[in-house]
């Protein structure tokens, strides 16, 4: 397992560091807010929070442009934010309002913004994997240098679509990066129980593609490995499996009692191994960002999230006619 | 003797009754126990499914018979099909019926066809439990009611229990049935309480239940839409019309007889179904009754269904999406004509 | 100008027309070219699919746009869905429609729902070509006609061309349509010849074709069952009854208007469909017409379909399994009563 | 890649050798007969022949009892015969007659005899893999020492069900042997093109189960490797992936033009590397069977196949009422 190196911090620009820190904070504060609002009963449906895993989405998306595509999961808020989706539109979507990114029709599990290259959160485990191949295929057929990133969980790695997609990406040398967020759990089942493999990246050898496992709570480790993978993909050198070991701070979904979790491990992960804290320390130690810069971002994000909530609460619900629009482009 | 329990508890009870009665009955699916191999958990406190429906069953029967699977629907459903063909009576949980996209082959081409393709020499006593239903703001991929797809496929039996009593009896019937059966659990009914028989009992397939007697209109309500139908019947009663409300309980086999007898008496039929409207259970019943009770119909058969649209997330839209007593009344209005309805 | 070609050649021609017109059109599926990376083959002599339908296309357009896939339906169908959402117009071949069990999710939960779930901001201009139909002794897993399942699902368009001319025009319409469309190719029609327009033309969806005029009975034939309907119409004509035969051409959208107008005139409707009978296209059309043309019906709407049974292998049984002119005549018999029919 | 050893022939009983030779001949002659009859147009539907691959089915099934289960593929005749199904019933099934193993309802692609532990040929590629797991699960839950064998093709290894099934068998230590018949082709696509992996057995390492690749035209190589795998499975030591490299002598299905095949390779495979010839030579060299014994089996099989054809031609078609029987046990 690789860790991020000091040199990499030294090589990072202040702007990049700020962007990264801001995105991680946006995700964290957004998710904390959703958690609270959900508990109050103001958010309907199923909600899966990304808090704790920020370094993965942000470390990877830091290398992408709007023309690059990502596919996501049921735990999609973090991917959305890292890919540049609008917080107001996201929160309003989760609230089911007309001003939501999907006009309130999708909700938390189907947040999408195709204009940002975010091809949608997905309620179906494993569904994002073939979708990523498709985006990679488009890039190949159209001969652009765009890449596609597929975020998927350790649980999803046991679904057949994982293998079908990786195999196709491998034989066609598609510009796809398979980013596994291995948080050790698929719902209440541990990775150790559900998967026979030790490491998901071990499959890379068999498929004869690049593979790596990194500390997913270490922003720089993810950032570096993802950078190399994206580079390879852009150069036409084919796909990568990048496994990021991480932890989900909240339950599987909102309302989960989490009895299956080891309390001590959880507390330690949150207190001592938090990706945002670690990034804060690293950028301070390497003098990349100052305390003031960090606080400024913190409060700026706080305002943005507060704004998103207010915006959502103030937004109207969709008009009843919307129930049957957007089923077809034309019918 | 009967006891009060919820729809969810009725399922739990049925599974336990079956597992006590026959050691070949196993329960298999994603997190049906939960927390497999988590030391501090074994086996208390385990989830028992995302809605806790099968909670405690692993404590009673152990992990050899209550099997958590990886997220691999084709894999474990195929395993359940052949476990059934080789001597077990598996209850396989497909968490949400929307996930059938990952394992339709195992259900449609394997389970449903073995008996026929092999000339009657294999049987597949498999029960699939699955969650359906809108009304939970679970959005387009977790709110569908896909029983029409299964009803379409010969070789499957399709069960849509609307209350705790039926759920227990029908689920037990399913488990000890020698054909593959899919039982739909409407997620919005889990907390619904009702009287349930104690101990072991079964309800035969293909027997509809008349929930309310009436002579002016027959309303068939599928699954939880029986309650929408009952509410509409109450409102109609206030206007002087007595609706007969029928719960088909199973869609395959379908109790055509009870519905047709009712329509012969009432001359009018409304089918209430929250599933998609095309090639649906609603069109199915309409076509059958329209054929077999043609001479008795005083008005066209009306279907009150979801629109031809995915299920929207927003609560504001989902409410409009669903059948409602108002929509049933509006349909009835068109059947009797303005004059009759408003003069009462 | 028109030329004579087979149903299979019409497909080949349509795909070529589309690929010439728009470089974003790609063809993807198992052995759609065949023999990828086989040196001595590149690219002549390649299969072009199990029935050779797409033969030669790889020679014209190359392997970058005619893509053989591993046997991984979920994988390549999902890829096609998102290739469509990101700028291509893929034609994905699902070899037999029976294989939908391996990739229903990609079609039902992804392709069909993106546009809606994402608030109209994504579109999926995907065409799925697939083979259906019994009559080839291909047995239970290679003979189904599963269009009802797709018609059930909002967001999909469903096309069932019955002849070469329609096939070409409808397939081209599908390819340039901005919604996901599934086009059914009946395997028993591949060698059927007919007049096909030259060059590029499209046939709009939702427009049924009246194949034969008549005033005593309307027969709707789905896919190749149009021909069974035509044969029955000929036999009826000999007995003095003129049947109007309608080919709906697309099931979603469905041209209700043309069928209803016909029934208003004839007062009688038989739907001929070789698919399974429950929750089917036949019940769908029966329910719709039974509702909207109620006042015009002189007899119950009859459905002549497969029985509620998988497709048998033995030629002896498959023949009995299928709709036939005799079955249509028998249905008509019940509609008009013994007396009328035999006296003519 | 392992080859069969001389010692193994020395250790084999004459009865076993006779059984093996007979089954291989039964398959070969049965398939040759079906090929001819199909060309004459007397057999309807799709037919996929097993000729050339006999050593795999027979080498594996030589270790099984009627209580062990196998799942099969579209190319299922060989598995049926190796598992002891009746030739008359099989041929009649392929002819669509009432006396067929499945009363004529299944045909070539759905031949089955559950009483022999043969869970059916299967028209769906990849479908047999999860089915095998189920039979293994039954053995485990019922605590018998039965095993389940899953025959599948190289093409099927690219289907998601392969991985879902292997993973489950691995985590549950099921008594399942995954026998891959790698004949280099899935229809007209080569294994080299369609699969990124070099060897299908390479996946065994990642899933942490036993794995092996053997010369599938060498009966003894298959027999030995399968013996070990079946042994391990019976002892509760879990699953094996056994990849057998083989060649299909005929086309993918009857009617296939086979343009994608290298003619020279094909001719050489049939002339020089035939599994039956190789077995004949080996048993003669090791003096396990005499020329007379071999000829006796040859002509006995010839009679049996001729009998099966005659039996089928003489058999009635199923009664029309059979169209709708056996849909349900009860309805
Ligand atoms: C096909 C399918 N099967 C099951 C589920 C139910 N489900 C939702 S999330 C989840 C666990 C996913 O685990 P993992 O992939 O590790 O992602 P994580 O939740 O840990 O981010 C499951 C089983 C689903 N949504 N889709
Ligand atoms: C799910 C599915 N996809 C595609 C097919 C069509 N098909 C039948 S056999 C075959 C090739 C199988 O190749 P392989 O697994 O190597 O077996 P082989 O034919 O070589 O024995 C294909 C693609 C099918 N029957 N089922
Ligand atoms: Mg996880
Ligand atoms: Mg092969």
């Amino acid at each position: 397992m690789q860790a991020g190196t000091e040199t990499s911090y030294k090589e990072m620009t202040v702007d990049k560091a700020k962007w990264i820190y801001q995105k991680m904070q946006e995700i964290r504060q957004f998710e904390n807010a959703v958690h609270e609002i959900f508990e109050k009963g103001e958010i309907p449906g199923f909600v899966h929070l990304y808090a704790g895993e920020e370094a993965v989405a942000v470390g990877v998306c830091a290398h992408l442009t709007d023309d690059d595509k990502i596919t996501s999961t049921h735990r999609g808020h973090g991917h959305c934010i890292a890919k540049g989706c609008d917080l107001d539109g996201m929160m309003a979507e989760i609230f089911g309002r007309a001003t939501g990114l999907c006009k309130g029709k999708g909700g938390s599990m189907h947040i999408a913004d195709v204009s940002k290259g975010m091809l949608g959160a997905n309620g179906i485990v494993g569904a994002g994997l073939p979708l990523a191949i498709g985006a990679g295929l488009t890039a190949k057929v159209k001969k652009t240098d765009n890449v596609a990133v597929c975020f998927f969980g350790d649980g999803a790695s046991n679904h057949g679509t994982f293998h079908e997609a990786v195999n196709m990406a491998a034989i066609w040398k598609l510009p796809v990066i398979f980013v596994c967020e291995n948080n050790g759990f698929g719902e209440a089942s541990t990775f150790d129980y559900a998967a026979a493999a030790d490491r998901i990246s071990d499959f890379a050898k068999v498929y004869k593609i690049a593979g790596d496992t990194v500390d997913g709570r270490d922003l720089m480790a993810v950032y570096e490995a993802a950078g190399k993978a994206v580079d390879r993909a852009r150069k036409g050198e084919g796909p990568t499996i990048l496994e990021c070991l991480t932890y989900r701070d909240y339950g599987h979904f909102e309302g989960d009692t989490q009895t299956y979790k080891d309390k001590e491990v959880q507390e330690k992960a949150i207190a001592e191994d938090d990706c945002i804290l670690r990034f804060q320390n690293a950028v301070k130690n390497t003098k990349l960002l100052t305390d003031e810069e960090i606080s400024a971002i913190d409060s700026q994000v706080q305002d943005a999230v507060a704004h998103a909530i207010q915006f959502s609460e103030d937004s109207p619900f969709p008009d009843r006619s919307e129930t049957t629009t957007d089923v077809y482009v034309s019918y | 003797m009967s006891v009060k329990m919820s729809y969810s508890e009725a399922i739990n009870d049925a599974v336990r009754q079956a597992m006590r009665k026959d050691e070949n009955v196993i329960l298999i699916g994603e997190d049906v126990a939960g927390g497999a191999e988590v030391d501090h958990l074994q086996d208390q406190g385990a989830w028992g499914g995302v809605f806790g429906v099968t909670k405690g069953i692993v404590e009673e029967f152990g992990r050899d018979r209550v099997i958590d699977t990886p997220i691999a629907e084709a894999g474990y459903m195929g395993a359940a099909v052949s476990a059934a063909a080789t001597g077990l009576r598996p209850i396989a949980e497909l968490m949400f019926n929307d996930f059938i996209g990952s394992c339709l082959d195992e259900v449609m081409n394997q389970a449903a066809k073995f008996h026929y393709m092999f000339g009657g020499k294999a049987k597949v006593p498999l029960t699939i439990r699955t969650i359906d239903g809108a009304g939970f703001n679970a959005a387009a991929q977790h709110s569908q009611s896909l029983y029409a797809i299964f009803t379409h496929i010969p070789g499957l039996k399709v069960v849509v229990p609307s209350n705790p009593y039926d759920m227990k009896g029908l689920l037990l019937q399913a488990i000890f049935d020698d054909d593959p059966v899919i039982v739909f659990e409407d997620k919005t009914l889990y907390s619904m309480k009702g009287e349930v028989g104690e101990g072991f009992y079964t309800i035969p397939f293909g027997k509809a239940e008349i929930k309310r007697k009436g002579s002016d209109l027959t309303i068939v309500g599928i699954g939880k839409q029986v309650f929408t139908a009952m509410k509409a019947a109450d409102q109609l009663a206030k206007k002087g019309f007595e609706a007969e409300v029928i719960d088909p309980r199973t869609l395959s086999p379908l109790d055509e007889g009870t519905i047709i007898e009712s329509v012969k008496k009432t001359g009018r039929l409304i089918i209430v179904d929250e599933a998609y409207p095309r090639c649906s259970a609603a069109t199915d019943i309409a076509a059958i009754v329209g054929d077999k009770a043609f001479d008795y119909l005083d008005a066209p058969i009306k279907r009150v269904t979801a629109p031809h649209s995915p299920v929207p997330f927003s609560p504001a839209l989902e409410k409009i999406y669903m059948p409602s007593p108002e929509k049933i009344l509006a349909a009835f209005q068109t059947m009797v004509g303005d004059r009759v309805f408003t003069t009462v």
Side-chain angles (χ1 to χ4, degrees), chain A, chain B:
Chain A
M1 198 173 75
Q2 291 189 349
T5 55
E6 277 243 345
T7 16
S8 334
Y9 284 96
K10 300 238 159 89
E11 283 169 8
M12 188 175 265
T13 64
V14 171
D15 277 357
K16 194 59 144 188
K18 281 187 177 172
W19 183 89
I20 284 171
Y21 183 70
Q22 180 184 327
K23 287 296 156 193
M24 294 217 291
Q25 272 297 357
E26 280 178 9
I27 297 173
R28 178 66 53 89
Q29 295 195 27
F30 188 92
E31 296 296 62
N32 286 345
V34 171
H35 178 74
E36 275 171 35
I37 301 166
F38 188 91
E39 282 201 330
K40 283 190 280 177
E42 288 175 41
I43 291 177
F46 294 116
V47 173
H48 309 80
L49 299 181
Y50 196 76
E53 308 186 9
E54 291 86 351
V56 182
V58 176
V60 171
C61 290
H63 300 284
L64 307 181
T65 72
D66 281 1
D67 291 333
D68 295 319
K69 312 294 183 207
I70 67 167
T71 67
S72 168
T73 68
H74 54 288
R75 199 176 302 290
H77 305 171
H79 309 133
C80 272
I81 292 173
K83 199 69 176 48
C85 295
D86 176 55
L87 295 191
D88 290 352
M90 281 184 62
M91 190 64 89
E93 186 60 35
I94 295 168
F95 271 76
R97 305 301 165 110
T99 53
L101 279 184
C102 308
K103 300 192 202 161
K105 293 184 180 190
S108 168
M109 262 193 296
H110 309 296
I111 283 198
D113 190 345
V114 177
S115 71
K116 298 278 180 194
M118 159 64 190
L119 298 179
N122 212 308
I124 305 297
V125 170
L129 287 140
L131 295 174
I133 301 306
L137 195 62
T138 299
K140 192 182 172 198
V141 171
K142 286 182 171 274
K143 299 191 171 53
T144 66
D145 70 347
N146 297 327
V147 304
V149 170
C150 173
F151 292 102
F152 68 106
D154 51 296
S157 76
N158 298 316
H159 201 273
T161 47
F162 169 56
H163 292 279
E164 297 193 359
V166 172
N167 184 53
M168 273 187 280
I171 65 169
W172 295 334
K173 279 209 163 205
L174 295 182
V176 179
I177 300 102
F178 296 96
V179 178
C180 182
E181 304 173 319
N182 188 340
N183 57 18
F185 293 100
E187 287 189 358
S189 289
T190 63
F191 171 65
D192 291 345
Y193 167 74
D198 281 326
R199 291 269 58 86
I200 292 163
S201 61
D202 286 350
F203 286 109
K205 288 184 212 90
V206 183
Y207 289 112
K208 299 191 288 179
I209 58 172
D212 214 344
T213 297
V214 300
D215 179 351
R217 307 269 275 192
D218 178 346
L219 182 283
M220 193 52 77
V222 176
Y223 180 80
E224 286 181 340
K228 284 180 211 151
V230 170
D231 243 37
R232 272 194 301 271
R234 286 208 205 286
K235 283 197 236 138
E237 293 170 12
T240 301
I241 299 177
L242 176 57
E243 180 181 20
C244 303
L245 304 184
T246 183
Y247 195 81
R248 88 170 127 71
D249 292 352
Y250 288 114
H252 167 61
F253 48 51
E254 288 309 275
D256 180 0
T257 50
Q258 303 187 61
T259 49
Y260 53 88
K261 273 192 185 172
D262 187 315
K263 281 276 160 311
E264 262 176 59
V265 172
Q266 175 156 26
E267 275 160 25
K268 217 173 139 187
I270 292 176
E272 296 170 25
D273 191 36
D274 180 58
C275 58
I276 294 187
L277 285 179
R278 284 172 67 182
F279 187 72
Q280 275 180 359
N281 291 336
V283 291
K284 283 187 208 167
N285 289 343
T286 53
K287 303 214 163 40
L288 194 52
L289 298 183
T290 64
D291 276 339
E292 291 69 41
E293 285 169 321
I294 287 174
S295 312
I297 293 176
D298 288 351
S299 62
Q300 187 190 319
V301 170
Q302 218 170 320
D303 292 348
V305 170
H307 184 274
I309 296 167
Q310 194 62 50
F311 173 79
S312 304
E313 286 173 350
D314 292 348
S315 291
F317 282 102
D319 187 76
R320 56 182 301 136
S321 69
E322 287 289 341
T323 312
T324 52
T325 58
D326 301 324
V327 181
Y328 296 92
V329 175
S330 64
Y331 197 59
Chain B
M1 274 291 292
S2 81
V3 284
K4 207 166 184 108
M5 58 172 80
S6 70
Y7 189 79
S8 158
E9 287 160 349
I11 296 164
N12 191 296
D13 190 24
V15 172
R16 287 181 199 252
Q17 298 282 346
M19 292 184 76
R20 284 177 202 148
K21 193 183 167 77
D22 182 349
E23 62 181 14
N24 291 318
V25 177
I26 62 167
L27 178 64
I28 184 167
E30 291 159 16
D31 289 312
V32 286
E37 295 178 10
V38 171
D39 286 339
H40 73 268
L41 193 65
Q42 294 276 14
D43 287 314
Q44 320 130 14
W47 264 21
V50 270
F51 287 95
V53 172
T54 48
K55 199 168 168 58
I57 293 180
V58 68
E59 283 181 73
E60 182 173 348
F61 301 98
R63 296 219 173 237
D64 284 349
R65 293 177 64 199
V66 183
I67 303 170
D68 284 346
T69 71
I71 308 171
E73 286 80 12
Y76 77 76
M77 193 59 77
V81 170
S82 130
T86 56
L88 299 180
R89 285 196 177 275
I91 306 168
E93 177 177 301
L94 178 64
M95 195 185 295
F96 290 84
N97 78 140
D98 314 68
F99 305 165
I100 189 63
S102 294
C103 59
L104 181 65
D105 189 73
E106 285 64 32
V107 179
M108 173 175 83
N109 284 332
Q110 313 300 330
K113 294 185 175 42
F114 269 19
H115 190 60
Y116 188 83
M117 290 192 306
F118 303 162
K121 287 179 191 161
K123 55 182 192 181
V124 183
L126 165 69
T127 299
I128 301 171
R129 294 178 41 239
T130 193
I131 303 174
D132 75 318
F136 209 82
N137 307 120
Q141 293 175 340
H142 283 71
S143 301
Q144 298 171 91
S145 294
L146 297 171
Y147 31 71
I149 292 177
F150 301 91
T151 306
H152 185 57
I153 301 166
L156 300 178
K157 293 174 177 171
V158 181
V159 183
V160 285
S162 70
N163 61 74
Y165 181 87
D166 285 2
M167 175 52 90
K168 181 172 169 186
L170 291 166
L171 181 52
L172 276 166
Q173 175 69 30
I175 297 167
F176 291 101
D177 195 281
D178 277 341
D179 292 306
V181 183
I182 181 161
V183 180
F184 286 84
E185 306 175 0
D186 190 303
K187 59 176 86 64
T188 67
L189 295 180
Y190 276 139
S191 57
M192 177 208 199
K193 299 247 178 206
E195 294 294 325
V196 169
E198 263 185 322
F200 187 95
Y201 69 93
T202 59
I203 297 174
F205 292 160
K207 296 265 170 282
E209 199 192 357
I210 299 173
K211 307 296 275 190
R212 187 188 193 287
K213 285 272 176 194
S215 53
D216 299 318
L217 165 69
T218 302
I219 315 182
V220 171
I222 295 169
K224 75 163 172 284
Q225 296 307 324
V226 165
F227 302 105
T228 316
M230 290 298 277
K231 276 187 207 145
D234 285 347
Q235 296 182 20
L236 283 168
K238 290 192 194 123
K239 295 180 190 272
F241 292 95
E242 291 304 326
E244 182 143 309
V245 176
I246 297 178
D247 179 350
R249 300 206 284 201
T250 61
L251 295 174
S252 181
L254 178 71
D255 183 355
E256 300 180 0
T258 297
I259 301 170
I260 289 168
E261 278 317 302
S262 175
V263 171
K264 283 187 177 169
K265 183 173 67 179
T266 64
R268 299 187 189 97
L269 173 62
I270 295 177
I271 304 146
V272 189
D273 179 12
E274 69 176 85
Y276 303 131
R278 305 286 318 277
C279 300
S280 63
T283 66
D284 189 67
I285 295 171
I288 292 168
V289 176
D291 177 5
K292 300 193 177 167
F294 181 76
D295 290 336
Y296 300 88
L297 286 174
D298 296 329
I301 298 170
K302 291 288 172 187
R303 289 154 288 132
V304 173
T305 67
H308 185 63
S309 153
V311 184
F313 163 67
S314 179
L317 299 182
E318 200 186 38
K319 212 177 305 160
I320 291 159
Y321 184 87
M322 298 284 277
S324 65
E326 294 67 41
K327 289 181 191 169
I328 298 173
L329 262 65
F332 184 66
Q333 175 88 71
T334 68
M335 294 166 88
V336 291
D338 258 14
R339 200 181 45 78
V340 183
F341 196 58
T342 48
T343 53
V344 181

